[in-house]
Amino acid sequence: RTPTGNKDEPALADVVEDFELTERSGRKVTNKEVLGRPWAVCFVFTNCAGPCPLVTGKMKLLQDRFAGTPLRLVTITVDPKRDTPQRLTQYAEAFGADEEQWLFLTGEQNEIYHLIGHSFGLTVREEIGKSRKKGWEITHSTRVVHVDAAGHIQGKYDAKDDVEMAALARALEKELRELPINSGEESQPVDAPVPPLRDQAVATPPASNAKGR
């Protein structure tokens, strides 16, 4: 397992490269939009039969914890062929995602896979042949990446591990406290752990759009 917050893995860049993707609203979003504030990014797909709902649920806990702060949450689909802005909108709404704080991005698969592999240093691949199973079409990481206000990657945290997610929350809290624009805002104490996912009901997308879940 990658040590909590480790940013020294092979192929992991120090700075997130430039990108332009499409948000669920249909507008174009670049990396420049999240500069100047910390952000946490995860990678899922809406037809996932594996850990994606859990990962998204942990992002929702971060949204609840850091509501009213400059923190941005970013979810990038690893299945852009099927995850259209409309589909991402349905998925985001099912999880109660705040459209002002939490971006859901799609785009060209080659661009997204390059970004995940080269900027974030994470595994992603589309399965083919006999290894391609319904709901398991994409193999990808469950890590949530902390990117600071300058666009530098600060660490990667396993969304399946409550201890690591609590460490991520503390790292985000620390950076938020140090932001000049956050001088008048308050948030939870740095030592407060992120509640485990089981303490909060996690919504699932509407049945008519939940194939493979």
Side-chain angles (χ1 to χ4, degrees):
R1 186 182 74 174
T2 304
T4 301
N6 182 12
K7 63 173 183 177
D8 297 321
E9 294 183 25
L12 180 58
D14 289 326
V15 180
V16 177
E17 63 189 71
D18 292 344
F19 64 81
E20 181 179 275
L21 298 172
T22 302
E23 214 274 322
R24 56 174 156 147
S25 62
R27 66 184 180 85
K28 296 295 182 180
V29 169
T30 72
N31 55 301
K32 295 180 177 60
E33 180 166 327
V34 289
L35 288 177
R37 66 184 74 198
W39 48 297
V41 56
C42 73
F43 309 92
V44 304
F45 64 108
T46 64
N47 287 291
C48 176
C52 297
L54 183 147
V55 174
T56 306
K58 292 301 181 70
M59 292 285 280
K60 175 60 163 60
L61 291 181
L62 290 176
Q63 175 185 273
D64 294 345
R65 178 187 177 108
F66 293 104
T69 74
L71 176 69
R72 271 292 179 87
L73 302 175
V74 179
T75 292
I76 300 177
T77 179
V78 294
D79 188 16
K81 296 175 183 177
R82 293 186 292 178
D83 285 343
T84 62
Q86 293 77 16
R87 179 68 185 117
L88 288 178
T89 295
Q90 294 173 339
Y91 188 78
E93 289 177 348
F95 280 92
D98 179 356
E99 61 184 11
E100 296 298 324
Q101 185 178 22
W102 191 349
L103 304 173
F104 282 74
L105 305 179
T106 187
E108 295 296 326
Q109 181 167 303
N110 289 342
E111 180 181 355
I112 288 174
Y113 282 22
H114 174 86
L115 183 68
I116 294 171
H118 288 78
S119 274
F120 297 105
L122 298 175
T123 298
V124 61
R125 70 174 181 272
E126 182 175 4
E127 299 295 343
I128 58 175
K130 294 182 179 179
S131 62
R132 186 179 177 91
K133 308 295 183 183
K134 185 177 181 181
W136 301 89
E137 296 91 344
I138 314 293
T139 296
H140 63 95
S141 175
T142 59
R143 293 194 177 276
V144 179
V145 181
H146 171 199
V147 185
D148 69 18
H152 294 267
I153 295 172
Q154 293 299 314
K156 301 184 292 185
Y157 303 81
D158 190 353
K160 296 184 294 182
D161 188 319
D162 287 338
V163 174
E164 291 200 12
M165 291 303 290
L168 169 59
R170 289 192 295 271
L172 293 170
E173 174 78 26
K174 182 177 184 294
E175 184 178 356
L176 286 166
R177 284 179 173 175
E178 295 170 352
L179 283 181
I181 60 174
N182 195 40
S183 59
E185 296 175 347
E186 297 181 357
S187 50
Q188 297 184 34
V190 68
D191 293 329
V194 174
L197 186 61
R198 62 179 176 273
D199 287 349
Q200 176 171 315
V202 176
T204 54
S208 61
N209 293 289
K211 294 182 179 180
R213 299 203 66 78

